């Protein structure tokens, strides 16, 4: 697909599915009715040296909810793409996750920067709110963009209103313990 020149969109997101959804995720099988990708929203999972492969159902649950709320056809089958390959530029939307500290190579950083500055979208998630991944992601993005730090999006940003208004989310147990609350919190991107 043609990529347009635009400001990069980089999302650092701590996953906040409800406890009930976590228990149900093992009982729900997310399968593609057909194997075609044409006309479907496809998310490619980025791979890197480190623990990039975390739980299998988290992304599928997100895609399922997106499909139900918007009616947009989605592809559940996971596609893995290394950050240092040209195949990265075939994907309009990339998912990056992990548990632990990681370091990207110079080629991975260069590819990611070109991908984002050409209009690609990166959705990054510290699986289960893990601090190691979060620290590494912030460090790697600062190195990728010449020292520029990630900035929190204001709560009035359109991303919190489409496809539905999101005012509060329930943090996962590990994150709730660190935040010292079981209450719903404002979403943070």
């Amino acid at each position: 697909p043609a990529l347009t020149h635009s400001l990069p969109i980089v999302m650092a997101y701590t996953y906040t599915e409800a406890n009930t959804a976590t228990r149900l995720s093992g009982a729900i099988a997310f399968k593609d009715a057909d194997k075609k990708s044409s006309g479907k929203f496809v998310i490619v999972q980025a791979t890197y040296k480190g623990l990039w492969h975390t739980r299998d159902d988290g992304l599928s649950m997100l895609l399922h909810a997106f499909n139900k709320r918007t009616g947009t056809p989605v592809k559940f089958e996971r596609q893995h793409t290394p950050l240092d390959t040209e195949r990265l530029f075939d994907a309009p939307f990339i998912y990056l996750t992990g548990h632990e500290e990681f370091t990207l190579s110079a080629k991975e950083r260069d590819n990611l920067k070109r991908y984002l500055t050409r209009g690609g979208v990166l959705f990054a998630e510290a699986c289960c709110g893990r601090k190691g991944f979060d620290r590494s992601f912030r460090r790697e993005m600062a190195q990728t963009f010449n020292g520029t730090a990630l900035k929190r999006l204001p709560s009035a940003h359109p991303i919190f209103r489409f496809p539905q208004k999101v005012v509060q989310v329930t943090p996962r147990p590990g994150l709730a313990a660190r935040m010292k609350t079981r209450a719903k919190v404002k979403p943070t991107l």
Side-chain angles (χ1 to χ4, degrees):
L3 297 175
T4 59
H5 293 283
S6 65
L7 293 175
I9 299 173
V10 180
M11 292 185 252
Y13 181 72
T14 305
Y15 206 68
T16 58
E17 62 192 344
N19 291 333
T20 303
T22 302
R23 287 191 300 273
L24 288 175
S25 70
I28 299 171
F30 297 101
K31 304 272 186 207
D32 291 309
D34 63 59
K35 298 293 181 187
K36 298 176 193 167
S37 295
S38 181
K40 294 181 182 178
F41 183 66
V42 176
I43 295 179
V44 171
Q45 184 167 2
T47 65
Y48 56 91
K49 285 186 182 177
L51 186 58
W52 60 267
H53 190 261
T54 59
R55 64 181 183 265
D56 286 325
D57 292 327
L59 184 56
S60 295
M61 290 173 59
L62 181 66
L63 283 166
H64 177 72
F66 177 73
N67 170 259
K68 290 296 180 199
R69 290 184 177 140
T70 67
T72 303
V74 300
K75 182 156 181 71
F76 290 110
E77 185 179 328
R78 190 81 46 98
Q79 295 179 29
H80 303 124
T81 301
L83 285 172
D84 63 358
T85 67
E86 292 299 312
R87 287 190 359 237
L88 190 70
F89 297 94
D90 294 334
F93 197 100
I94 299 216
Y95 176 67
L96 180 71
T97 189
H99 284 241
E100 309 299 332
E101 298 266 343
F102 67 95
T103 301
L104 298 179
S105 70
K107 179 153 177 129
E108 289 171 325
R109 274 190 223 107
D110 181 56
N111 252 15
L112 190 54
K113 182 175 185 176
R114 287 187 305 127
Y115 172 81
L116 292 169
T117 57
R118 292 179 180 181
V121 176
L122 174 67
F123 181 84
E125 170 194 14
C127 186
C128 303
R130 301 288 177 96
K131 288 183 178 183
F133 179 87
D134 183 66
R135 273 191 308 269
S136 293
F137 179 74
R138 291 172 188 279
R139 181 195 67 236
E140 292 299 326
M141 290 300 97
Q143 284 186 285
T144 300
F145 290 99
N146 303 321
T148 303
L150 294 174
K151 294 180 184 174
R152 187 170 289 192
L153 293 177
S155 59
H157 192 281
I159 201 163
F160 295 115
R161 294 191 310 261
F162 179 79
Q164 288 181 320
K165 189 173 183 179
V166 178
V167 179
Q168 295 179 326
V169 293
T170 304
R172 302 259 309 145
L175 182 59
R178 275 203 322 274
M179 295 174 72
K180 297 182 170 107
T181 184
R182 291 179 185 229
K184 291 189 176 209
V185 297
K186 285 185 176 186
T188 302
L189 294 175

